[in-house]
Amino acid sequence: MKKIFLCVVFIFTLTLFLNGEDKPEKIILGFEDAPNYPWLLPDGTGITFELLKIVEAKMGIKFVYEKYPWKRCLELLKENKIDGALNSSFKKERMEMGAYPMISDTEPDISKRIHMEGYSLYRLKGSNINWDGKIFLNVKGTIGAQTGFSIVDKLKKDFGLTVDDSVKSVDENFNKLLKNRIVGAVLQTSAADFVLENNKQFKNKIEKVEPSIEYKAYYIMLSYDFIKKYPDVAKKFWNTVAEVRESKEFIDKKKEYLKKSINK
């Protein structure tokens, strides 16, 4: 009887191994607690969540979402207290916090992105501060930006600007602009355009400057501990994100979400 029991246990264990059952019961994904329309909103809605619902179903693993200030989200990723962080642009320094899908030691795999997004300059109507596509013009004061966002370093290092990134939301930056505490704000385009369109006070006094300052890919980062424990799951996760992003199912969901949010 003992031999039969051991044989059954061996066969069961072997079956689990061959079927690739070495996977987590859940994947904990952190995201920023400030609105980032249309991708991520604090109430758990947004295009990124629509995409991940499909990924979750395809992978058969439960996704659990936790929201934090962005800096805290990256810290928790580094401490392996969450498994992933949503919607992170690529910064070499962030590779200390967690892993991106990569094609080399220094280059992320853009095919595994979750979406593309840009940054734009916003100013008071009548202001002469400008961006001509290469340099900032007539900047006589401080530029506002969101706490922890990758554009901050670029504004400081590449353009020598004084940046106030003490607040985390678009609304707070626009309020600073109205109070003349900053001379302009460089913000993620989709989120800022949405706030501008849906707030009459902002819309009457603030305008966006064309062209965009930059336009780049965003990824889901994974913790190094998660990748070490579940390398095949991590690879499948990024591959499934890429597959779903281009699927008709997701594209239809994306159109449906945008239509509903605009008509609210």
Side-chain angles (χ1 to χ4, degrees), residues 2 16-17 33 58 70 73 101 124 129 139 144 157 159 176 184 208 220 228 240 248-249:
K2 186 176 181 181
L16 290 180
F17 175 77
D33 61 355
K58 284 183 175 291
W70 183 236
C73 198
L124 292 174
I129 185 175
V139 182
K157 294 176 182 178
F159 300 104
K176 280 189 173 186
K208 179 173 71 174
I220 297 179
K228 184 178 178 180
T240 307
K248 183 180 185 302
E249 181 182 6

Side-chain angles (χ1 to χ4, degrees), residues 50-246:
E50 294 298 323
L51 183 147
L52 288 173
K53 285 176 188 175
I54 304 172
V55 175
E56 181 181 35
K58 284 183 175 291
M59 293 190 67
I61 303 173
K62 182 176 176 60
F63 294 172
V64 176
Y65 301 102
E66 298 181 357
K67 58 185 175 181
Y68 304 97
W70 183 236
K71 276 190 173 181
R72 181 60 181 153
C73 198
L74 292 175
E75 288 169 0
L76 291 171
L77 186 71
K78 184 178 182 179
E79 295 166 2
N80 298 302
K81 292 180 179 177
I82 57 176
D83 300 316
L86 304 183
N87 290 13
S88 175
S89 62
F90 179 75
K91 291 183 72 177
K92 192 174 180 181
E93 310 89 85
R94 281 187 188 160
M95 292 175 71
E96 295 179 4
M97 307 287 191
Y100 294 90
M102 305 289 288
I103 57 174
S104 71
D105 290 342
T106 57
E107 186 179 355
D109 185 348
I110 196 169
S111 74
K112 304 298 191 299
R113 71 189 182 278
I114 197 159
H115 67 80
M116 301 290 293
E117 177 63 279
Y119 282 92
S120 298
L121 172 65
Y122 296 82
R123 67 187 177 191
L124 292 174
K125 291 181 178 180
S127 169
N128 67 348
I129 185 175
N130 208 354
W131 163 256
D132 69 359
K134 293 182 179 179
I135 60 172
F136 288 90
L137 303 168
N138 307 313
V139 182
K140 299 175 181 177
T142 301
I143 295 290
Q146 291 163 273
T147 306
F149 279 43
S150 61
I151 195 66
V152 174
D153 286 343
K154 185 180 182 72
L155 295 174
K156 291 178 178 178
K157 294 176 182 178
D158 294 358
F159 300 104
L161 298 175
T162 301
V163 180
D164 177 357
D165 62 338
S166 60
V167 296
K168 64 183 183 181
S169 74
V170 170
D171 298 67
E172 289 170 305
N173 274 285
F174 279 164
N175 279 319
K176 280 189 173 186
L177 191 54
L178 292 181
K179 294 174 182 177
N180 294 306
R181 292 169 59 188
I182 53 177
V183 296
V186 174
L187 307 166
Q188 278 193 335
T189 308
S190 295
D193 282 357
F194 179 76
V195 171
L196 204 58
E197 184 63 31
N198 289 277
N199 184 304
K200 189 175 290 187
Q201 182 187 18
F202 293 155
K203 188 175 183 179
N204 289 339
K205 297 182 180 180
I206 297 171
E207 63 184 3
K208 179 173 71 174
V209 177
E210 297 286 2
S212 297
I213 294 166
E214 67 177 21
Y215 188 68
K216 58 186 178 179
Y218 285 75
Y219 303 89
I220 297 179
M221 297 178 70
L222 295 175
S223 74
Y224 286 115
D225 188 55
F226 183 86
I227 290 174
K228 184 178 178 180
K229 287 180 180 177
Y230 309 108
D232 291 339
V233 175
K235 183 178 179 181
K236 184 179 180 181
F237 177 80
W238 281 322
N239 286 340
T240 307
V241 165
E243 174 192 328
V244 170
R245 191 193 66 238
E246 300 300 324

